[in-house]
Amino acid sequence: MLEQTTLDQLWDFADPVLSEARFRAAAADESYDADERAELTAQLGRAIGLQGRHEEADALLDSIDPDEPTVSVRVLLERGRLLNSSGHPAMAVPLFEQAAELADHLSEEFLAVDALHMLAIADPAHAEAWTRSALEYASTVHDERTKRWIVALHNNLGWTLHEAGRCTEAMVEFQLAEQWAERIGTPRQQELAREAIKAC
């Protein structure tokens, strides 16, 4: 299976058209095995979905035969993201729950945290609980790429608490996000953490 860092190198979330072109080329590259090309195709579906072409993305995900369990997790995640972004978050929730459970079973830590993060987005009534679960999970891993989720999760939890009027608790989360960003985060994560503290 592909390392998450390999997929990261192909992604430019600010430019889903470019990302689509990269993933389309990679998915056609026969130097990858069938399961790896299926993973790349799932990401291609995500890039297409980010452009609002939901039916096309859904059809592409339908074309994937997820024989390998990790591919199944990725397909569940991307189907859930499509449903959430097309205005059907309640339908996305059980897919994210399945993805989180299967990823945990497979010890696919990055994907498990991703699924819990998406649950917080799709199920706002329980966003705090889902985000705290994701934080607890991410705090136990040793993989630095997965651990970097901690920055975004503290930031997200801060905004959830801020919107609920719990400003003191929100500030704590923003400060934790800043501390983690300085240790393991990207420059953009550091910037977002500082902006959140100023806004609180």
Side-chain angles (χ1 to χ4, degrees):
M1 304 312 297
L2 293 171
E3 295 290 332
Q4 184 60 41
T5 50
T6 301
L7 300 177
D8 290 344
Q9 290 167 3
L10 295 170
W11 266 113
D12 182 343
F13 287 104
D15 191 345
V17 175
L18 174 61
S19 299
E20 177 188 352
R22 289 174 176 173
F23 281 110
R24 199 175 288 283
D29 185 345
E30 293 188 1
S31 67
Y32 293 110
D33 66 29
D35 290 330
E36 291 169 338
R37 289 199 301 274
E39 285 188 282
L40 291 162
T41 300
Q43 297 304 289
L44 173 59
R46 183 178 183 182
I48 291 170
L50 284 171
Q51 298 171 60
R53 291 150 53 198
H54 299 124
E55 290 184 9
E56 183 182 346
D58 192 51
L60 186 62
L61 293 174
D62 278 343
S63 75
I64 299 172
D65 186 10
D67 287 335
E68 209 286 330
T70 299
V71 175
S72 296
V73 175
R74 290 199 180 276
V75 171
L76 285 166
L77 271 169
E78 301 318 326
R79 284 198 183 286
R81 277 193 252 266
L82 274 177
L83 285 167
N84 185 66
S85 63
S86 61
H88 306 285
M91 293 173 65
V93 168
L95 299 183
F96 291 139
E97 288 177 324
Q98 290 176 55
E101 184 177 349
L102 181 54
D104 180 47
H105 177 72
L106 297 170
S107 297
E108 290 282 1
E109 297 168 333
F110 181 90
L111 297 179
V113 177
D114 191 359
L116 291 168
H117 157 73
M118 288 307 304
L119 277 163
I121 293 171
D123 184 15
H126 303 98
E128 181 179 350
W130 288 123
T131 306
R132 290 195 186 281
S133 293
L135 274 166
E136 183 178 356
Y137 197 106
S139 69
T140 67
V141 306
H142 297 98
D143 169 54
E144 186 170 310
R145 178 64 185 88
T146 302
K147 221 169 185 64
R148 207 181 304 153
W149 270 113
I150 293 175
V151 182
L153 292 167
H154 275 301
N155 199 52
N156 292 350
L157 182 54
W159 285 115
T160 297
L161 295 169
H162 185 270
E163 289 169 8
R166 295 157 63 184
C167 294
T168 302
E169 294 171 81
M171 178 60 80
V172 171
E173 297 300 330
F174 291 144
Q175 290 171 337
L176 286 168
E178 182 183 36
Q179 291 166 18
W180 278 101
E182 289 172 353
R183 289 173 56 188
I184 61 172
T186 64
R188 179 58 179 157
Q189 286 181 314
Q190 294 174 30
E191 181 185 349
L192 288 172
R194 287 192 291 268
E195 288 175 359
I197 287 172
K198 289 177 184 177
C200 193

